[in-house]
Amino acid sequence: DAKTTQPNSMESNEEEPVHLPCNHSTISGTDYIHWYRQLPSQGPEYVIHGLTSNVNNRMASLAIAEDRKSSTLILHRATLRDAAVYYCILIPSGTYKYIFGTGTRLKVLA
Amino acid sequence: DSGVTQTPKHLITATGQRVTLRCSPRSGDLSVYWYQQSLDQGLQFLIQYYNGEERAKGNILERFSAQQFPDLHSELNLSSLELGDSALYFCASSLPGQGAYNEQFFGPGTRLTVL
């Protein structure tokens, strides 16, 4: 299974954009890139996913490098509620197994 | 609220005992997944069921077993419990279709404490 590498922690000021990086240099052509986040004392929550093109939804944007070896989750205006652990996961097409790494703990400063 | 329910919320038991955790998926979801989250291991995939049948297996111990019933709810059975089994156990569900395309909706978890 292809692995992802994320920084252990990041900090951001409230109402500023946040760019959370993820490296996945061994990604294969059929691997989808998913992002989940886990707020304190809650189960993980889906954020966004993509294959090759950049994606936007109401929560965030996902920027995928042209060679697909890295991606960036963009929160356009961080709020205190966005403080969570963010997981970048690669999911091969046709599989059902999510392998979570250690994620990035995002701290948002008021 | 994800629509996935898990009971009980907390469970305290002793080593050597057996417990059953229950999960009800979102309406319409056929797939159920079980995860274990402990402090030292992070979030680990255990097993997945699709419409009553086992579909994928992860790092699930032989002392653990699961099943999905005709009404699609699922149970995770943990037996011969050890101190190291203390963890948060999450259930998730998803729509039919390939895992890569569909998001998983996670329940609030069951916190198991083995004394």
Side-chain angles (χ1 to χ4, degrees), chain A residues 32 34 36 38 43-44 46 49 87 91-98 100, chain B residues 33 35 37 43 45 48 55 90 97-104 106-107:
Chain A
Y32 280 73
H34 283 235
Y36 280 74
Q38 188 171 17
Y46 168 81
H49 79 278
Y87 297 98
I91 305 172
S93 176
T95 191
Y96 300 86
K97 200 162 73 169
Y98 280 25
F100 284 81
Chain B
Y33 311 76
Y35 293 85
Q37 186 171 38
L43 202 59
F45 168 75
Q48 182 221 352
R55 180 63 67 92
F90 288 106
Q98 294 197 45
Y101 309 150
N102 294 321
E103 62 186 279
Q104 291 186 12
F106 284 77

PDB file of all heavy atoms in Angstrom, chain A residues 32 34 36 38 43-44 46 49 87 91-98 100, chain B residues 33 35 37 43 45 48 55 90 97-104 106-107:
ATOM      1  N   TYR A  32      -6.861   6.993  -5.233  1.00  0.00           N
ATOM      2  CA  TYR A  32      -7.566   8.227  -4.931  1.00  0.00           C
ATOM      3  C   TYR A  32      -6.972   8.847  -3.660  1.00  0.00           C
ATOM      4  O   TYR A  32      -6.534   8.135  -2.762  1.00  0.00           O
ATOM      5  CB  TYR A  32      -9.055   7.951  -4.695  1.00  0.00           C
ATOM      6  CG  TYR A  32      -9.841   7.802  -5.963  1.00  0.00           C
ATOM      7  CD1 TYR A  32      -9.720   6.664  -6.750  1.00  0.00           C
ATOM      8  CD2 TYR A  32     -10.703   8.806  -6.389  1.00  0.00           C
ATOM      9  CE1 TYR A  32     -10.436   6.525  -7.926  1.00  0.00           C
ATOM     10  CE2 TYR A  32     -11.426   8.680  -7.560  1.00  0.00           C
ATOM     11  CZ  TYR A  32     -11.278   7.547  -8.324  1.00  0.00           C
ATOM     12  OH  TYR A  32     -11.985   7.414  -9.486  1.00  0.00           O
ATOM     13  N   HIS A  34      -7.754  10.927  -0.434  1.00  0.00           N
ATOM     14  CA  HIS A  34      -8.849  11.334   0.453  1.00  0.00           C
ATOM     15  C   HIS A  34      -8.287  12.092   1.640  1.00  0.00           C
ATOM     16  O   HIS A  34      -7.215  11.754   2.147  1.00  0.00           O
ATOM     17  CB  HIS A  34      -9.601  10.096   0.980  1.00  0.00           C
ATOM     18  CG  HIS A  34     -10.535   9.461   0.010  1.00  0.00           C
ATOM     19  ND1 HIS A  34     -11.874   9.242   0.297  1.00  0.00           N
ATOM     20  CD2 HIS A  34     -10.349   9.012  -1.247  1.00  0.00           C
ATOM     21  CE1 HIS A  34     -12.443   8.666  -0.752  1.00  0.00           C
ATOM     22  NE2 HIS A  34     -11.554   8.507  -1.696  1.00  0.00           N
ATOM     23  N   TYR A  36      -9.493  13.277   5.564  1.00  0.00           N
ATOM     24  CA  TYR A  36     -10.444  13.220   6.667  1.00  0.00           C
ATOM     25  C   TYR A  36      -9.876  14.064   7.803  1.00  0.00           C
ATOM     26  O   TYR A  36      -8.678  14.309   7.858  1.00  0.00           O
ATOM     27  CB  TYR A  36     -10.629  11.776   7.163  1.00  0.00           C
ATOM     28  CG  TYR A  36     -11.572  10.966   6.302  1.00  0.00           C
ATOM     29  CD1 TYR A  36     -11.185  10.516   5.051  1.00  0.00           C
ATOM     30  CD2 TYR A  36     -12.853  10.668   6.745  1.00  0.00           C
ATOM     31  CE1 TYR A  36     -12.061   9.791   4.253  1.00  0.00           C
ATOM     32  CE2 TYR A  36     -13.737   9.938   5.956  1.00  0.00           C
ATOM     33  CZ  TYR A  36     -13.320   9.508   4.711  1.00  0.00           C
ATOM     34  OH  TYR A  36     -14.191   8.791   3.920  1.00  0.00           O
ATOM     35  N   GLN A  38     -10.312  14.661  12.223  1.00  0.00           N
ATOM     36  CA  GLN A  38     -10.889  14.153  13.461  1.00  0.00           C
ATOM     37  C   GLN A  38     -10.833  15.251  14.509  1.00  0.00           C
ATOM     38  O   GLN A  38      -9.749  15.625  14.964  1.00  0.00           O
ATOM     39  CB  GLN A  38     -10.155  12.903  13.943  1.00  0.00           C
ATOM     40  CG  GLN A  38     -10.827  12.218  15.110  1.00  0.00           C
ATOM     41  CD  GLN A  38     -10.205  10.876  15.440  1.00  0.00           C
ATOM     42  OE1 GLN A  38      -9.095  10.566  15.033  1.00  0.00           O
ATOM     43  NE2 GLN A  38     -10.928  10.062  16.206  1.00  0.00           N
ATOM     44  N   GLY A  43     -15.464  10.985  15.979  1.00  0.00           N
ATOM     45  CA  GLY A  43     -14.973  10.103  14.926  1.00  0.00           C
ATOM     46  C   GLY A  43     -14.469  10.929  13.756  1.00  0.00           C
ATOM     47  O   GLY A  43     -14.790  12.104  13.622  1.00  0.00           O
ATOM     48  N   PRO A  44     -13.660  10.317  12.897  1.00  0.00           N
ATOM     49  CA  PRO A  44     -13.186  11.036  11.714  1.00  0.00           C
ATOM     50  C   PRO A  44     -14.346  11.516  10.848  1.00  0.00           C
ATOM     51  O   PRO A  44     -15.423  10.924  10.837  1.00  0.00           O
ATOM     52  CB  PRO A  44     -12.344   9.986  10.983  1.00  0.00           C
ATOM     53  CG  PRO A  44     -11.899   9.044  12.053  1.00  0.00           C
ATOM     54  CD  PRO A  44     -13.056   8.987  13.011  1.00  0.00           C
ATOM     55  N   TYR A  46     -15.235  13.085   6.871  1.00  0.00           N
ATOM     56  CA  TYR A  46     -14.768  13.277   5.498  1.00  0.00           C
ATOM     57  C   TYR A  46     -14.604  14.760   5.199  1.00  0.00           C
ATOM     58  O   TYR A  46     -15.437  15.590   5.588  1.00  0.00           O
ATOM     59  CB  TYR A  46     -15.787  12.655   4.542  1.00  0.00           C
ATOM     60  CG  TYR A  46     -15.596  13.012   3.086  1.00  0.00           C
ATOM     61  CD1 TYR A  46     -14.657  12.335   2.306  1.00  0.00           C
ATOM     62  CD2 TYR A  46     -16.344  14.026   2.494  1.00  0.00           C
ATOM     63  CE1 TYR A  46     -14.499  12.648   0.964  1.00  0.00           C
ATOM     64  CE2 TYR A  46     -16.179  14.342   1.163  1.00  0.00           C
ATOM     65  CZ  TYR A  46     -15.260  13.651   0.401  1.00  0.00           C
ATOM     66  OH  TYR A  46     -15.093  13.971  -0.924  1.00  0.00           O
ATOM     67  N   HIS A  49     -12.023  14.579  -1.517  1.00  0.00           N
ATOM     68  CA  HIS A  49     -11.170  13.596  -2.180  1.00  0.00           C
ATOM     69  C   HIS A  49     -11.043  13.943  -3.662  1.00  0.00           C
ATOM     70  O   HIS A  49     -11.876  14.678  -4.216  1.00  0.00           O
ATOM     71  CB  HIS A  49     -11.662  12.162  -1.975  1.00  0.00           C
ATOM     72  CG  HIS A  49     -12.819  11.753  -2.848  1.00  0.00           C
ATOM     73  ND1 HIS A  49     -14.122  12.064  -2.550  1.00  0.00           N
ATOM     74  CD2 HIS A  49     -12.848  11.034  -3.997  1.00  0.00           C
ATOM     75  CE1 HIS A  49     -14.911  11.532  -3.476  1.00  0.00           C
ATOM     76  NE2 HIS A  49     -14.180  10.929  -4.373  1.00  0.00           N
ATOM     77  N   TYR A  87      -6.031  13.866   8.273  1.00  0.00           N
ATOM     78  CA  TYR A  87      -5.424  12.669   7.705  1.00  0.00           C
ATOM     79  C   TYR A  87      -5.514  12.704   6.181  1.00  0.00           C
ATOM     80  O   TYR A  87      -6.582  12.939   5.620  1.00  0.00           O
ATOM     81  CB  TYR A  87      -6.150  11.413   8.185  1.00  0.00           C
ATOM     82  CG  TYR A  87      -6.098  11.160   9.668  1.00  0.00           C
ATOM     83  CD1 TYR A  87      -7.152  11.519  10.499  1.00  0.00           C
ATOM     84  CD2 TYR A  87      -4.996  10.530  10.246  1.00  0.00           C
ATOM     85  CE1 TYR A  87      -7.120  11.273  11.857  1.00  0.00           C
ATOM     86  CE2 TYR A  87      -4.959  10.271  11.607  1.00  0.00           C
ATOM     87  CZ  TYR A  87      -6.021  10.653  12.404  1.00  0.00           C
ATOM     88  OH  TYR A  87      -5.980  10.383  13.756  1.00  0.00           O
ATOM     89  N   ILE A  91      -6.306   5.695  -1.391  1.00  0.00           N
ATOM     90  CA  ILE A  91      -7.206   4.557  -1.493  1.00  0.00           C
ATOM     91  C   ILE A  91      -7.190   4.039  -2.926  1.00  0.00           C
ATOM     92  O   ILE A  91      -7.675   4.706  -3.843  1.00  0.00           O
ATOM     93  CB  ILE A  91      -8.630   4.948  -1.090  1.00  0.00           C
ATOM     94  CG1 ILE A  91      -8.607   5.572   0.306  1.00  0.00           C
ATOM     95  CG2 ILE A  91      -9.550   3.727  -1.117  1.00  0.00           C
ATOM     96  CD1 ILE A  91      -9.906   6.162   0.730  1.00  0.00           C
ATOM     97  N   PRO A  92      -6.612   2.856  -3.124  1.00  0.00           N
ATOM     98  CA  PRO A  92      -6.603   2.295  -4.482  1.00  0.00           C
ATOM     99  C   PRO A  92      -8.022   2.019  -4.962  1.00  0.00           C
ATOM    100  O   PRO A  92      -8.879   1.594  -4.189  1.00  0.00           O
ATOM    101  CB  PRO A  92      -5.816   0.995  -4.318  1.00  0.00           C
ATOM    102  CG  PRO A  92      -5.045   1.161  -3.052  1.00  0.00           C
ATOM    103  CD  PRO A  92      -5.894   2.021  -2.171  1.00  0.00           C
ATOM    104  N   SER A  93      -8.248   2.292  -6.239  1.00  0.00           N
ATOM    105  CA  SER A  93      -9.534   1.973  -6.831  1.00  0.00           C
ATOM    106  C   SER A  93      -9.814   0.497  -6.655  1.00  0.00           C
ATOM    107  O   SER A  93      -8.937  -0.331  -6.877  1.00  0.00           O
ATOM    108  CB  SER A  93      -9.500   2.339  -8.314  1.00  0.00           C
ATOM    109  OG  SER A  93     -10.696   1.966  -8.946  1.00  0.00           O
ATOM    110  N   GLY A  94     -11.017   0.164  -6.219  1.00  0.00           N
ATOM    111  CA  GLY A  94     -11.385  -1.234  -6.038  1.00  0.00           C
ATOM    112  C   GLY A  94     -11.121  -1.767  -4.657  1.00  0.00           C
ATOM    113  O   GLY A  94     -11.431  -2.924  -4.372  1.00  0.00           O
ATOM    114  N   THR A  95     -10.543  -0.968  -3.777  1.00  0.00           N
ATOM    115  CA  THR A  95     -10.291  -1.437  -2.421  1.00  0.00           C
ATOM    116  C   THR A  95     -11.208  -0.732  -1.442  1.00  0.00           C
ATOM    117  O   THR A  95     -11.788   0.307  -1.756  1.00  0.00           O
ATOM    118  CB  THR A  95      -8.826  -1.221  -2.010  1.00  0.00           C
ATOM    119  OG1 THR A  95      -8.570  -1.912  -0.797  1.00  0.00           O
ATOM    120  CG2 THR A  95      -8.550   0.246  -1.756  1.00  0.00           C
ATOM    121  N   TYR A  96     -11.337  -1.312  -0.282  1.00  0.00           N
ATOM    122  CA  TYR A  96     -12.218  -0.753   0.730  1.00  0.00           C
ATOM    123  C   TYR A  96     -11.469  -0.458   2.018  1.00  0.00           C
ATOM    124  O   TYR A  96     -12.059  -0.086   3.009  1.00  0.00           O
ATOM    125  CB  TYR A  96     -13.341  -1.753   1.030  1.00  0.00           C
ATOM    126  CG  TYR A  96     -14.155  -2.057  -0.198  1.00  0.00           C
ATOM    127  CD1 TYR A  96     -13.754  -3.047  -1.093  1.00  0.00           C
ATOM    128  CD2 TYR A  96     -15.296  -1.333  -0.477  1.00  0.00           C
ATOM    129  CE1 TYR A  96     -14.495  -3.305  -2.232  1.00  0.00           C
ATOM    130  CE2 TYR A  96     -16.038  -1.602  -1.611  1.00  0.00           C
ATOM    131  CZ  TYR A  96     -15.626  -2.577  -2.487  1.00  0.00           C
ATOM    132  OH  TYR A  96     -16.346  -2.836  -3.606  1.00  0.00           O
ATOM    133  N   LYS A  97     -10.145  -0.622   1.969  1.00  0.00           N
ATOM    134  CA  LYS A  97      -9.371  -0.542   3.187  1.00  0.00           C
ATOM    135  C   LYS A  97      -8.732   0.830   3.311  1.00  0.00           C
ATOM    136  O   LYS A  97      -7.957   1.227   2.447  1.00  0.00           O
ATOM    137  CB  LYS A  97      -8.290  -1.625   3.139  1.00  0.00           C
ATOM    138  CG  LYS A  97      -7.714  -1.984   4.473  1.00  0.00           C
ATOM    139  CD  LYS A  97      -7.007  -3.320   4.423  1.00  0.00           C
ATOM    140  CE  LYS A  97      -5.699  -3.284   3.697  1.00  0.00           C
ATOM    141  NZ  LYS A  97      -4.924  -4.535   3.905  1.00  0.00           N
ATOM    142  N   TYR A  98      -9.072   1.546   4.352  1.00  0.00           N
ATOM    143  CA  TYR A  98      -8.433   2.829   4.612  1.00  0.00           C
ATOM    144  C   TYR A  98      -7.258   2.603   5.543  1.00  0.00           C
ATOM    145  O   TYR A  98      -7.422   1.981   6.584  1.00  0.00           O
ATOM    146  CB  TYR A  98      -9.403   3.781   5.321  1.00  0.00           C
ATOM    147  CG  TYR A  98     -10.406   4.480   4.446  1.00  0.00           C
ATOM    148  CD1 TYR A  98     -10.813   3.945   3.232  1.00  0.00           C
ATOM    149  CD2 TYR A  98     -10.979   5.673   4.851  1.00  0.00           C
ATOM    150  CE1 TYR A  98     -11.745   4.590   2.455  1.00  0.00           C
ATOM    151  CE2 TYR A  98     -11.908   6.334   4.070  1.00  0.00           C
ATOM    152  CZ  TYR A  98     -12.293   5.787   2.874  1.00  0.00           C
ATOM    153  OH  TYR A  98     -13.232   6.434   2.109  1.00  0.00           O
ATOM    154  N   PHE A 100      -4.937   4.756   7.749  1.00  0.00           N
ATOM    155  CA  PHE A 100      -4.699   6.088   8.291  1.00  0.00           C
ATOM    156  C   PHE A 100      -3.264   6.182   8.789  1.00  0.00           C
ATOM    157  O   PHE A 100      -2.783   5.290   9.465  1.00  0.00           O
ATOM    158  CB  PHE A 100      -5.644   6.358   9.468  1.00  0.00           C
ATOM    159  CG  PHE A 100      -7.060   6.666   9.078  1.00  0.00           C
ATOM    160  CD1 PHE A 100      -7.941   5.641   8.764  1.00  0.00           C
ATOM    161  CD2 PHE A 100      -7.510   7.972   9.027  1.00  0.00           C
ATOM    162  CE1 PHE A 100      -9.260   5.920   8.407  1.00  0.00           C
ATOM    163  CE2 PHE A 100      -8.825   8.257   8.680  1.00  0.00           C
ATOM    164  CZ  PHE A 100      -9.695   7.229   8.362  1.00  0.00           C
TER     165      PHE A 100
ATOM    166  N   TYR B  33     -17.735  -0.617   8.362  1.00  0.00           N
ATOM    167  CA  TYR B  33     -16.309  -0.767   8.640  1.00  0.00           C
ATOM    168  C   TYR B  33     -16.086  -0.619  10.145  1.00  0.00           C
ATOM    169  O   TYR B  33     -16.742   0.187  10.795  1.00  0.00           O
ATOM    170  CB  TYR B  33     -15.496   0.329   7.938  1.00  0.00           C
ATOM    171  CG  TYR B  33     -15.801   0.525   6.472  1.00  0.00           C
ATOM    172  CD1 TYR B  33     -16.951   1.190   6.065  1.00  0.00           C
ATOM    173  CD2 TYR B  33     -14.921   0.070   5.487  1.00  0.00           C
ATOM    174  CE1 TYR B  33     -17.229   1.387   4.724  1.00  0.00           C
ATOM    175  CE2 TYR B  33     -15.190   0.270   4.146  1.00  0.00           C
ATOM    176  CZ  TYR B  33     -16.343   0.922   3.777  1.00  0.00           C
ATOM    177  OH  TYR B  33     -16.616   1.118   2.445  1.00  0.00           O
ATOM    178  N   TYR B  35     -13.018   0.151  13.069  1.00  0.00           N
ATOM    179  CA  TYR B  35     -11.667   0.664  13.303  1.00  0.00           C
ATOM    180  C   TYR B  35     -11.389   0.659  14.798  1.00  0.00           C
ATOM    181  O   TYR B  35     -12.288   0.822  15.619  1.00  0.00           O
ATOM    182  CB  TYR B  35     -11.537   2.105  12.806  1.00  0.00           C
ATOM    183  CG  TYR B  35     -11.637   2.278  11.316  1.00  0.00           C
ATOM    184  CD1 TYR B  35     -12.870   2.405  10.688  1.00  0.00           C
ATOM    185  CD2 TYR B  35     -10.486   2.330  10.527  1.00  0.00           C
ATOM    186  CE1 TYR B  35     -12.964   2.567   9.322  1.00  0.00           C
ATOM    187  CE2 TYR B  35     -10.576   2.505   9.156  1.00  0.00           C
ATOM    188  CZ  TYR B  35     -11.811   2.622   8.570  1.00  0.00           C
ATOM    189  OH  TYR B  35     -11.906   2.792   7.214  1.00  0.00           O
ATOM    190  N   GLN B  37      -8.897   2.666  17.584  1.00  0.00           N
ATOM    191  CA  GLN B  37      -7.970   3.788  17.769  1.00  0.00           C
ATOM    192  C   GLN B  37      -7.423   3.761  19.184  1.00  0.00           C
ATOM    193  O   GLN B  37      -8.130   4.004  20.152  1.00  0.00           O
ATOM    194  CB  GLN B  37      -8.652   5.131  17.503  1.00  0.00           C
ATOM    195  CG  GLN B  37      -7.680   6.308  17.541  1.00  0.00           C
ATOM    196  CD  GLN B  37      -8.315   7.593  17.075  1.00  0.00           C
ATOM    197  OE1 GLN B  37      -9.472   7.872  17.363  1.00  0.00           O
ATOM    198  NE2 GLN B  37      -7.560   8.392  16.327  1.00  0.00           N
ATOM    199  N   LEU B  43      -5.236   5.119  14.278  1.00  0.00           N
ATOM    200  CA  LEU B  43      -6.494   4.572  13.775  1.00  0.00           C
ATOM    201  C   LEU B  43      -6.200   3.381  12.864  1.00  0.00           C
ATOM    202  O   LEU B  43      -5.608   3.534  11.807  1.00  0.00           O
ATOM    203  CB  LEU B  43      -7.227   5.669  13.007  1.00  0.00           C
ATOM    204  CG  LEU B  43      -8.728   5.556  12.822  1.00  0.00           C
ATOM    205  CD1 LEU B  43      -9.438   5.495  14.151  1.00  0.00           C
ATOM    206  CD2 LEU B  43      -9.233   6.717  12.015  1.00  0.00           C
ATOM    207  N   PHE B  45      -7.604   0.040  10.716  1.00  0.00           N
ATOM    208  CA  PHE B  45      -8.741  -0.635  10.088  1.00  0.00           C
ATOM    209  C   PHE B  45      -8.790  -2.084  10.562  1.00  0.00           C
ATOM    210  O   PHE B  45      -7.780  -2.773  10.561  1.00  0.00           O
ATOM    211  CB  PHE B  45      -8.580  -0.570   8.569  1.00  0.00           C
ATOM    212  CG  PHE B  45      -9.518  -1.458   7.804  1.00  0.00           C
ATOM    213  CD1 PHE B  45     -10.851  -1.115   7.656  1.00  0.00           C
ATOM    214  CD2 PHE B  45      -9.070  -2.639   7.234  1.00  0.00           C
ATOM    215  CE1 PHE B  45     -11.712  -1.938   6.947  1.00  0.00           C
ATOM    216  CE2 PHE B  45      -9.915  -3.461   6.515  1.00  0.00           C
ATOM    217  CZ  PHE B  45     -11.241  -3.107   6.374  1.00  0.00           C
ATOM    218  N   GLN B  48     -14.274  -5.024   7.225  1.00  0.00           N
ATOM    219  CA  GLN B  48     -15.376  -4.411   6.503  1.00  0.00           C
ATOM    220  C   GLN B  48     -16.383  -5.475   6.092  1.00  0.00           C
ATOM    221  O   GLN B  48     -16.003  -6.576   5.681  1.00  0.00           O
ATOM    222  CB  GLN B  48     -14.896  -3.697   5.249  1.00  0.00           C
ATOM    223  CG  GLN B  48     -16.047  -3.001   4.494  1.00  0.00           C
ATOM    224  CD  GLN B  48     -15.966  -3.130   3.001  1.00  0.00           C
ATOM    225  OE1 GLN B  48     -14.987  -3.608   2.460  1.00  0.00           O
ATOM    226  NE2 GLN B  48     -17.003  -2.699   2.305  1.00  0.00           N
ATOM    227  N   ARG B  55     -15.896  -8.294   3.455  1.00  0.00           N
ATOM    228  CA  ARG B  55     -15.342  -7.805   2.190  1.00  0.00           C
ATOM    229  C   ARG B  55     -13.832  -7.567   2.283  1.00  0.00           C
ATOM    230  O   ARG B  55     -13.102  -7.787   1.335  1.00  0.00           O
ATOM    231  CB  ARG B  55     -16.047  -6.511   1.791  1.00  0.00           C
ATOM    232  CG  ARG B  55     -15.584  -5.877   0.499  1.00  0.00           C
ATOM    233  CD  ARG B  55     -15.847  -6.773  -0.712  1.00  0.00           C
ATOM    234  NE  ARG B  55     -17.250  -6.943  -0.996  1.00  0.00           N
ATOM    235  CZ  ARG B  55     -17.953  -6.187  -1.829  1.00  0.00           C
ATOM    236  NH1 ARG B  55     -17.381  -5.159  -2.424  1.00  0.00           N
ATOM    237  NH2 ARG B  55     -19.219  -6.443  -2.064  1.00  0.00           N
ATOM    238  N   PHE B  90     -14.379   2.574  16.465  1.00  0.00           N
ATOM    239  CA  PHE B  90     -15.272   3.320  15.592  1.00  0.00           C
ATOM    240  C   PHE B  90     -15.866   2.403  14.543  1.00  0.00           C
ATOM    241  O   PHE B  90     -15.218   1.494  14.019  1.00  0.00           O
ATOM    242  CB  PHE B  90     -14.510   4.439  14.863  1.00  0.00           C
ATOM    243  CG  PHE B  90     -14.119   5.580  15.736  1.00  0.00           C
ATOM    244  CD1 PHE B  90     -12.797   5.733  16.125  1.00  0.00           C
ATOM    245  CD2 PHE B  90     -15.053   6.517  16.156  1.00  0.00           C
ATOM    246  CE1 PHE B  90     -12.411   6.797  16.929  1.00  0.00           C
ATOM    247  CE2 PHE B  90     -14.684   7.575  16.968  1.00  0.00           C
ATOM    248  CZ  PHE B  90     -13.353   7.715  17.351  1.00  0.00           C
ATOM    249  N   GLY B  97     -20.721   0.681  -3.642  1.00  0.00           N
ATOM    250  CA  GLY B  97     -19.765   1.174  -4.632  1.00  0.00           C
ATOM    251  C   GLY B  97     -18.363   1.128  -4.080  1.00  0.00           C
ATOM    252  O   GLY B  97     -18.149   0.830  -2.914  1.00  0.00           O
ATOM    253  N   GLN B  98     -17.421   1.442  -4.899  1.00  0.00           N
ATOM    254  CA  GLN B  98     -16.022   1.286  -4.535  1.00  0.00           C
ATOM    255  C   GLN B  98     -15.597   2.271  -3.459  1.00  0.00           C
ATOM    256  O   GLN B  98     -15.996   3.422  -3.460  1.00  0.00           O
ATOM    257  CB  GLN B  98     -15.140   1.478  -5.774  1.00  0.00           C
ATOM    258  CG  GLN B  98     -15.362   0.394  -6.795  1.00  0.00           C
ATOM    259  CD  GLN B  98     -14.227   0.344  -7.788  1.00  0.00           C
ATOM    260  OE1 GLN B  98     -13.063   0.409  -7.393  1.00  0.00           O
ATOM    261  NE2 GLN B  98     -14.545   0.225  -9.053  1.00  0.00           N
ATOM    262  N   GLY B  99     -14.789   1.760  -2.563  1.00  0.00           N
ATOM    263  CA  GLY B  99     -14.349   2.567  -1.430  1.00  0.00           C
ATOM    264  C   GLY B  99     -13.605   3.814  -1.851  1.00  0.00           C
ATOM    265  O   GLY B  99     -13.646   4.817  -1.169  1.00  0.00           O
ATOM    266  N   ALA B 100     -12.910   3.725  -2.973  1.00  0.00           N
ATOM    267  CA  ALA B 100     -12.119   4.870  -3.395  1.00  0.00           C
ATOM    268  C   ALA B 100     -13.007   6.042  -3.792  1.00  0.00           C
ATOM    269  O   ALA B 100     -12.587   7.193  -3.735  1.00  0.00           O
ATOM    270  CB  ALA B 100     -11.225   4.477  -4.571  1.00  0.00           C
ATOM    271  N   TYR B 101     -14.236   5.763  -4.220  1.00  0.00           N
ATOM    272  CA  TYR B 101     -15.101   6.828  -4.699  1.00  0.00           C
ATOM    273  C   TYR B 101     -15.967   7.433  -3.604  1.00  0.00           C
ATOM    274  O   TYR B 101     -16.405   8.570  -3.717  1.00  0.00           O
ATOM    275  CB  TYR B 101     -16.049   6.301  -5.785  1.00  0.00           C
ATOM    276  CG  TYR B 101     -15.377   5.541  -6.904  1.00  0.00           C
ATOM    277  CD1 TYR B 101     -16.051   4.525  -7.567  1.00  0.00           C
ATOM    278  CD2 TYR B 101     -14.086   5.836  -7.317  1.00  0.00           C
ATOM    279  CE1 TYR B 101     -15.451   3.827  -8.593  1.00  0.00           C
ATOM    280  CE2 TYR B 101     -13.477   5.137  -8.340  1.00  0.00           C
ATOM    281  CZ  TYR B 101     -14.169   4.139  -8.978  1.00  0.00           C
ATOM    282  OH  TYR B 101     -13.578   3.438  -9.990  1.00  0.00           O
ATOM    283  N   ASN B 102     -16.256   6.632  -2.596  1.00  0.00           N
ATOM    284  CA  ASN B 102     -17.251   7.046  -1.620  1.00  0.00           C
ATOM    285  C   ASN B 102     -16.647   7.391  -0.275  1.00  0.00           C
ATOM    286  O   ASN B 102     -15.733   6.746   0.193  1.00  0.00           O
ATOM    287  CB  ASN B 102     -18.266   5.919  -1.401  1.00  0.00           C
ATOM    288  CG  ASN B 102     -19.089   5.664  -2.636  1.00  0.00           C
ATOM    289  OD1 ASN B 102     -19.463   6.588  -3.333  1.00  0.00           O
ATOM    290  ND2 ASN B 102     -19.380   4.411  -2.903  1.00  0.00           N
ATOM    291  N   GLU B 103     -17.194   8.404   0.348  1.00  0.00           N
ATOM    292  CA  GLU B 103     -16.744   8.772   1.675  1.00  0.00           C
ATOM    293  C   GLU B 103     -17.316   7.799   2.696  1.00  0.00           C
ATOM    294  O   GLU B 103     -18.347   7.184   2.478  1.00  0.00           O
ATOM    295  CB  GLU B 103     -17.186  10.192   2.010  1.00  0.00           C
ATOM    296  CG  GLU B 103     -18.689  10.377   2.033  1.00  0.00           C
ATOM    297  CD  GLU B 103     -19.089  11.824   2.217  1.00  0.00           C
ATOM    298  OE1 GLU B 103     -19.071  12.286   3.366  1.00  0.00           O
ATOM    299  OE2 GLU B 103     -19.424  12.459   1.209  1.00  0.00           O
ATOM    300  N   GLN B 104     -16.602   7.697   3.804  1.00  0.00           N
ATOM    301  CA  GLN B 104     -17.089   6.905   4.924  1.00  0.00           C
ATOM    302  C   GLN B 104     -17.634   7.851   5.983  1.00  0.00           C
ATOM    303  O   GLN B 104     -17.055   8.912   6.234  1.00  0.00           O
ATOM    304  CB  GLN B 104     -15.970   6.047   5.515  1.00  0.00           C
ATOM    305  CG  GLN B 104     -15.522   4.936   4.590  1.00  0.00           C
ATOM    306  CD  GLN B 104     -14.524   3.993   5.238  1.00  0.00           C
ATOM    307  OE1 GLN B 104     -14.300   4.003   6.452  1.00  0.00           O
ATOM    308  NE2 GLN B 104     -13.922   3.137   4.431  1.00  0.00           N
ATOM    309  N   PHE B 106     -18.437   8.175   9.882  1.00  0.00           N
ATOM    310  CA  PHE B 106     -18.022   7.549  11.131  1.00  0.00           C
ATOM    311  C   PHE B 106     -19.014   7.834  12.260  1.00  0.00           C
ATOM    312  O   PHE B 106     -19.550   8.935  12.365  1.00  0.00           O
ATOM    313  CB  PHE B 106     -16.641   8.055  11.556  1.00  0.00           C
ATOM    314  CG  PHE B 106     -15.511   7.454  10.779  1.00  0.00           C
ATOM    315  CD1 PHE B 106     -15.227   7.878   9.493  1.00  0.00           C
ATOM    316  CD2 PHE B 106     -14.726   6.450  11.334  1.00  0.00           C
ATOM    317  CE1 PHE B 106     -14.181   7.317   8.754  1.00  0.00           C
ATOM    318  CE2 PHE B 106     -13.672   5.889  10.622  1.00  0.00           C
ATOM    319  CZ  PHE B 106     -13.405   6.324   9.329  1.00  0.00           C
ATOM    320  N   GLY B 107     -19.190   6.821  13.091  1.00  0.00           N
ATOM    321  CA  GLY B 107     -19.985   6.988  14.291  1.00  0.00           C
ATOM    322  C   GLY B 107     -19.185   7.663  15.386  1.00  0.00           C
ATOM    323  O   GLY B 107     -18.005   7.951  15.205  1.00  0.00           O
TER     324      GLY B 107
END
